[in-house]
Amino acid sequence: MSYERIHLAIEDGIATLTLDQPKTMNAMSVPLQQEVMAALDEIAGNSDIKALIITGTGKAFCSGADLGSMSPDSDGPTLGTQVKNLMEELSNPMALKLRELPFPVVSAVNGAAAGAGASIALAGDVVLAGKSAYFLFPFIPKLGILPDLGATWILPRLIGRARAMAVSLLGERMYGEDAVRDGLIWKCVADEDLQSEAVTTARRLATGPNHGAPELREAFDRADTATLAEQLSYEAERQQELIDSPTFQEGVRAFLEKRDPKF
């Protein structure tokens, strides 16, 4: 299908989804979210895709909610109720869809990733940022509302509760190099190298097993609440199935033949 607010390109098994509303710093308007959701549905069902890159056009990756479009309806539900309904019907399913794609996701953060935009960026399996890019969580200090689109779930898991509390309460920008240092993202590169680095990373991921990213997401998510004994049992159960798969057999052959595996 055709899109007006995003750009979707697919080449050599790599999909690139670009938020393309630079005049609003790629704010998460309802129409843009609808197009992102449609694009995720489109690529999730494409068995030729092995990895996804998500990035933005212009000076921002995504500036978060489109606050300029929010206004209460005097004859209908309160603004809070409207936003809750929108989150349940569109925003939250979009965030879940991104984390449940059957292939790895590379976030290439080209500029400001603020509010819900930061949440979307951090939903990637591998997050890269340009040196001038930054992550910002202004919800509490600027608006008096909670971080959303999964931020309260993702942040403490990435950087720990102490840092998650501080960046959320203080609302200070976390630039690329600091984000790497604190464990928020994987790598920071020169701005001009970001897109090529994202493509290189996506290509590397695309050569791995198709199930690699979904398996790791599930295992790491379970580990957050499991006891060591429970996690050991889960690992054994998964290994039983995975070791009996053609993927593992190819990996062993490649190891013995001293070559790269071809999954």
Side-chain angles (χ1 to χ4, degrees):
M1 63 176 290
S2 60
Y3 301 100
E4 296 180 1
R5 296 166 181 85
I6 67 171
H7 180 67
L8 180 63
I10 302 173
E11 184 176 357
D12 297 330
I14 308 297
T16 301
L17 193 165
T18 305
L19 307 180
D20 193 17
Q21 293 281 271
K23 290 184 179 180
T24 64
M25 297 181 70
N26 303 319
M28 298 295 292
S29 65
V30 171
L32 184 138
Q33 290 183 67
Q34 290 171 333
E35 290 195 7
V36 170
M37 188 64 167
L40 294 178
D41 285 336
E42 179 181 342
I43 63 178
N46 187 336
S47 61
D48 293 330
I49 295 176
K50 304 301 181 183
L52 167 67
I53 299 169
I54 182 167
T55 190
T57 296
K59 297 180 179 180
F61 174 83
C62 176
S63 59
D66 186 9
L67 297 178
S69 67
M70 290 185 176
S71 59
D73 185 349
S74 59
D75 298 326
T78 66
L79 181 58
T81 299
Q82 293 176 48
V83 172
K84 175 180 179 289
N85 292 340
L86 174 64
M87 292 176 69
E88 292 178 342
E89 295 169 8
L90 177 60
S91 305
N92 290 350
M94 178 187 68
L96 283 171
K97 174 71 72 173
L98 183 60
R99 281 191 56 86
E100 293 172 353
L101 289 172
F103 39 73
V105 177
V106 177
S107 296
V109 183
N110 55 296
S119 303
I120 292 298
L122 296 176
D125 298 303
V126 179
V127 184
L128 311 172
K131 192 170 184 178
S132 68
Y134 63 86
F135 299 82
L136 176 66
F137 298 88
F139 300 89
I140 288 287
K142 297 297 184 182
L143 299 168
I145 62 175
L146 278 176
D148 58 16
L149 263 67
T152 59
W153 189 88
I154 293 173
L155 267 180
R157 283 167 169 78
L158 292 176
I159 59 177
R161 184 184 176 96
R163 284 193 176 95
M165 286 291 289
V167 300
S168 299
L169 285 172
L170 297 172
E172 294 183 356
R173 296 180 180 185
M174 185 180 290
Y175 284 90
E177 292 179 341
D178 294 333
V180 173
R181 180 200 65 201
D182 291 346
L184 187 72
I185 67 172
W186 166 241
K187 185 182 289 188
C188 175
V189 299
D191 292 344
E192 61 269 22
D193 295 334
L194 178 63
Q195 294 305 319
S196 62
E197 183 71 22
V199 171
T200 298
T201 302
R203 286 175 177 167
R204 287 182 60 190
L205 293 169
T207 64
N210 291 341
H211 60 268
E215 285 284 352
L216 282 172
R217 291 178 203 138
E218 178 66 17
F220 289 159
D221 289 351
R222 283 174 174 267
D224 284 327
T225 56
T227 64
L228 176 58
E230 289 169 340
Q231 194 69 6
L232 288 169
S233 177
Y234 175 77
E235 291 171 353
E237 290 174 0
R238 295 308 304 138
Q239 296 297 51
Q240 178 183 15
E241 180 174 336
L242 295 172
I243 286 174
D244 287 339
S245 72
T247 299
F248 179 76
Q249 296 166 19
E250 164 60 12
V252 171
R253 283 195 300 269
F255 175 79
L256 296 176
E257 296 169 7
K258 298 182 179 179
R259 59 173 175 80
D260 291 331
K262 297 179 180 179
F263 296 123

